[in-house]
Amino acid sequence: SSILCAEVDLTFPDDFMFGAATASYQIEGAWNVDGKGESIWDHYSHNYPEYMKENATGDDAAKSYYKYKEDVKALKDMGMNHYRFSISWPRIFPTGLPNNVNEKGIKYYNNLINELLKYNITPVVTMFHWDLPQYLQNLGGWTNEIIVQYFEDFARILYERYGDRVSVKWWLTFNEIQNICFGTRTKKTFAPEPVTPGIGYYLTGHNILKAHARAYRLYEKEFPRDKQHGKISIAKEIMWPIALNESSECDQAAVNKNLLFTSRWLLDPIFSKQGDYPQELKDIIANKSKEQGFKQSRLPTFTPEEVKYIRGTADYLGLNEYTSYLVTMNEKKGNVSMADDMGVTIYISDTWITSKNSAWLSMNPQSMRSVLNWFKDNYGEQYGVLITENGFADGGDLDDDMRIKYYGTYFAEMLKAIHIDKVKMIGHSAWALIDNLEWTTAYTSKFGLYHVDFKDPERKRTPKKSSYFMKNLTSTRRLPEEYLKLSDDLAER
Ligand code: PNW
């Protein structure tokens, strides 16, 4: 039921934060410069070039290691008040181990932070956006529990070296935990290689939840909030599942099962009142494991102490919200894997507008409002939500009208969530500030508000039309009315 244009307040609340996001491996380049160690993405792109589109690497990427001042200027020119960026772990600790600090790496992010503060742009710092030190991967990466301690050591040095400045207070421990787990699933999607589906998948999520909680509890213990005013969370990706056939009870069940396996799996332990994995999830995986001949469930268990330790370790929600998909039950037996445990098939409707080289990403603005309401209804209204990513991909044209339409309609649904549904919103970070390396899709799929010329050794940045759309939003703090109608039209598809 769409709401009439005239009834929606189109203004953004005064404290709503506008910003843009990037991640270290996708923009920095300088992969082996100034003492940086090898990350799993360096390793993957160098050793399995066939998995990377056009055999590309992030060795140079957008050269933000050298051009960060231009990135900050882009934010300033759009009138943005925050920047979400990530820290390359192997730049700080080349092997990932805490016994060897790379001061030049520390300095790079200090320079970036200070440049942001010069223009009153608030840093939103992601500790881990997928570029794990290869040395830790050689120990088993996230599947080896020893990494929990090393992540705590990494978090400590970041709080110590960067948290002293008052406005460095928005922290995200992890970007998209589920996508990190997908790295254990198949070749050709995400590092690392080799893969361990069905087992490594759950172990990865399990150890990341522990590592996240450690970083949160460490802050509570050693960085009293009267000195550092941090707010800590994760950035969770949620794609909104829609029943393939809305009147089918079976498809409705597929919606719940999909949310159980993709989102509640990782959110319940942190955000639910009782903590821990959902009972339903435990039962399904235990039964499947038994059927398959395992002597115990492939889903690891938390002790009661761990449940308590992890529960409540977030001050807000970071939400990466891009799109929707259609779901239906799939009863066929497959290999030992999360996909088989879940038993849900995912489709993209061919009536949806998808982005050119990122086919998973279609223009579904209603997903924004649905996810925001789902989170509030499930976990309570006390958590403010920062959209930590949201954006559309294309081939990189400067006249990026589709991107403008995407943002305009998603903002329309967000404003409905704010003003009608009373969802507590902190702000929005557009993915991405500049064109960058889109993981295995590399340089064939572009998300930037600013164009980067990857053929130019100087990596010249040029504002796209969408950057002027953003500039207009940040200065008027009001969405042009036409996007309400455009959003309703998209819902009809
Ligand atoms: C996120 N999918 O990744 C990441 O956080 C960013 O680094 C990335 O550039 C951005 O979204 C755009 O893709 C995703 O296949 C990668 O569904 C793939 C998917 C979703 C998110």
Side-chain angles (χ1 to χ4, degrees):
S1 60
S2 54
I3 284 153
L4 286 179
C5 304
E7 291 176 26
V8 185
D9 181 350
L10 291 169
T11 55
F12 289 90
D14 289 343
D15 55 358
F16 185 91
M17 293 165 53
F18 286 101
T22 60
S24 46
Y25 182 68
Q26 297 180 270
I27 63 162
E28 284 177 5
W31 80 278
N32 60 355
V33 171
D34 287 345
K36 178 181 164 294
E38 186 188 32
S39 79
I40 59 172
W41 276 93
D42 297 320
H43 186 86
Y44 183 87
S45 62
H46 295 159
N47 291 283
Y48 305 95
E50 66 275 22
Y51 299 160
M52 303 288 293
K53 275 269 164 63
E54 300 171 347
N55 301 342
T57 72
D59 291 0
D60 297 313
K63 297 194 177 175
S64 287
Y65 190 69
Y66 307 102
K67 306 261 156 194
Y68 68 91
K69 289 190 179 169
E70 290 178 36
D71 297 345
V72 175
K73 179 154 188 309
L75 289 156
K76 178 181 164 277
D77 287 348
M78 287 187 284
M80 287 182 163
N81 75 337
H82 75 272
Y83 181 36
R84 176 180 175 232
F85 62 91
S86 83
I87 305 223
S88 161
W89 189 344
R91 233 184 247 298
I92 305 296
F93 294 139
T95 55
L97 305 177
N99 61 331
N100 175 11
V101 186
N102 178 31
E103 290 298 336
K104 286 185 174 159
I106 297 269
K107 185 154 178 247
Y108 169 64
Y109 298 104
N110 258 328
N111 289 343
L112 170 61
I113 289 169
N114 291 336
E115 185 72 11
L116 289 166
L117 297 184
K118 240 196 322 208
Y119 301 106
N120 272 324
I121 300 171
T122 303
V124 175
V125 186
T126 309
M127 297 179 184
F128 183 79
H129 199 127
W130 307 357
D131 42 359
L132 188 72
Q134 181 61 31
Y135 185 94
L136 293 181
Q137 186 58 44
N138 294 345
L139 287 167
W142 294 107
T143 63
N144 184 344
E145 201 188 334
I146 197 169
I147 201 169
V148 173
Q149 178 60 52
Y150 293 139
F151 185 76
E152 181 185 18
D153 297 334
F154 175 49
R156 179 183 290 104
I157 198 166
L158 303 184
Y159 296 143
E160 278 172 1
R161 300 297 192 94
Y162 303 130
D164 56 321
R165 276 139 290 183
V166 190
S167 62
V168 184
K169 63 173 189 182
W170 295 96
W171 297 98
L172 295 152
T173 52
F174 288 93
N175 178 66
E176 300 197 346
I177 304 179
Q178 197 197 3
N179 267 330
I180 301 171
C181 301
F182 275 144
T184 67
R185 184 185 59 167
T186 57
K187 304 169 179 198
K188 297 190 180 189
T189 39
F190 295 112
E193 165 72 17
V195 296
T196 53
I199 295 169
Y201 184 84
Y202 295 117
L203 259 177
T204 296
H206 197 72
N207 288 329
I208 287 181
L209 286 169
K210 287 189 183 180
H212 160 78
R214 279 277 198 103
Y216 188 94
R217 299 294 179 205
L218 166 74
Y219 195 79
E220 279 184 332
K221 207 165 73 218
E222 294 183 21
F223 300 87
R225 307 254 172 155
D226 52 344
K227 293 212 187 66
Q228 295 206 6
H229 307 269
K231 293 185 191 298
I232 303 172
S233 188
I234 54 165
K236 179 74 186 90
E237 71 278 40
I238 306 183
M239 308 210 199
W240 186 245
I242 301 171
L244 182 61
N245 176 351
E246 266 188 65
S247 57
S248 150
E249 261 178 50
C250 194
D251 288 357
Q252 292 294 346
V255 168
N256 289 329
K257 223 169 167 205
N258 181 260
L259 283 168
L260 179 69
F261 273 84
T262 60
S263 297
R264 291 188 50 209
W265 163 42
L266 296 163
L267 291 174
D268 274 27
I270 298 176
F271 290 95
S272 73
K273 288 198 183 64
Q274 72 283 2
D276 203 358
Y277 296 127
Q279 189 58 43
E280 213 186 325
L281 181 83
K282 292 193 214 175
D283 292 344
I284 295 172
I285 300 171
N287 289 335
K288 270 277 180 186
S289 303
K290 204 167 153 200
E291 267 173 40
Q292 291 162 337
F294 288 91
K295 301 302 171 205
Q296 55 193 32
S297 178
R298 287 178 281 100
L299 180 70
T301 51
F302 290 121
T303 64
E305 292 73 42
E306 286 169 341
V307 168
K308 225 178 121 204
Y309 186 80
I310 296 169
R311 194 177 62 205
T313 53
D315 303 313
Y316 66 103
L317 174 72
L319 178 63
N320 290 3
E321 211 298 300
Y322 282 94
T323 194
S324 270
Y325 41 53
L326 299 168
V327 294
T328 184
M329 283 297 195
N330 172 12
E331 305 292 354
K332 271 191 292 195
K333 277 203 173 51
N335 298 331
V336 171
S337 66
M338 175 283 233
D340 179 65
D341 293 339
M342 175 167 70
V344 169
T345 308
I346 288 162
Y347 301 91
I348 307 287
S349 165
D350 48 22
T351 62
W352 291 349
I353 301 170
T354 57
S355 58
K356 210 169 129 224
N357 288 312
S358 292
W360 58 273
L361 172 47
S362 58
M363 221 185 270
N364 267 292
Q366 283 70 27
S367 64
M368 175 64 84
R369 189 177 179 188
S370 302
V371 170
L372 289 171
N373 277 286
W374 176 81
F375 184 82
K376 175 174 156 239
D377 295 344
N378 268 270
Y379 300 105
E381 39 195 31
Q382 71 273 29
Y383 294 106
V385 183
L386 175 63
I387 298 297
T388 34
E389 284 180 31
N390 173 238
F392 198 66
D394 61 15
D397 282 352
L398 290 180
D399 279 333
D400 53 345
D401 294 303
M402 292 294 268
R403 179 167 292 106
I404 293 173
K405 182 170 173 181
Y406 180 97
Y407 281 124
T409 56
Y410 276 66
F411 276 125
E413 297 304 316
M414 198 192 298
L415 285 166
K416 291 182 194 169
I418 293 173
H419 296 299
I420 300 168
D421 312 329
K422 308 294 174 203
V423 172
K424 217 163 95 188
M425 294 293 304
I426 297 166
H428 176 275
S429 325
W431 183 272
L433 176 62
I434 55 173
D435 288 340
N436 59 74
L437 174 134
E438 175 55 17
W439 306 110
T440 47
T441 318
Y443 303 106
T444 64
S445 179
K446 302 278 171 51
F447 279 88
L449 296 168
Y450 273 60
H451 176 272
V452 174
D453 183 354
F454 289 97
K455 293 202 191 79
D456 174 5
E458 292 299 316
R459 297 296 191 278
K460 185 174 167 15
R461 277 99 162 117
T462 311
K464 298 182 190 174
K465 205 167 158 186
S466 57
S467 77
Y468 297 106
F469 172 81
M470 287 295 183
K471 189 185 170 79
N472 181 54
L473 271 193
T474 62
S475 59
T476 63
R477 302 189 69 85
R478 189 184 159 81
L479 183 72
E481 186 160 333
E482 62 188 284
Y483 292 103
L484 288 174
K485 166 103 179 44
L486 286 172
S487 182
D488 287 349
D489 291 348
L490 284 170
E492 302 296 318
R493 295 176 78 95

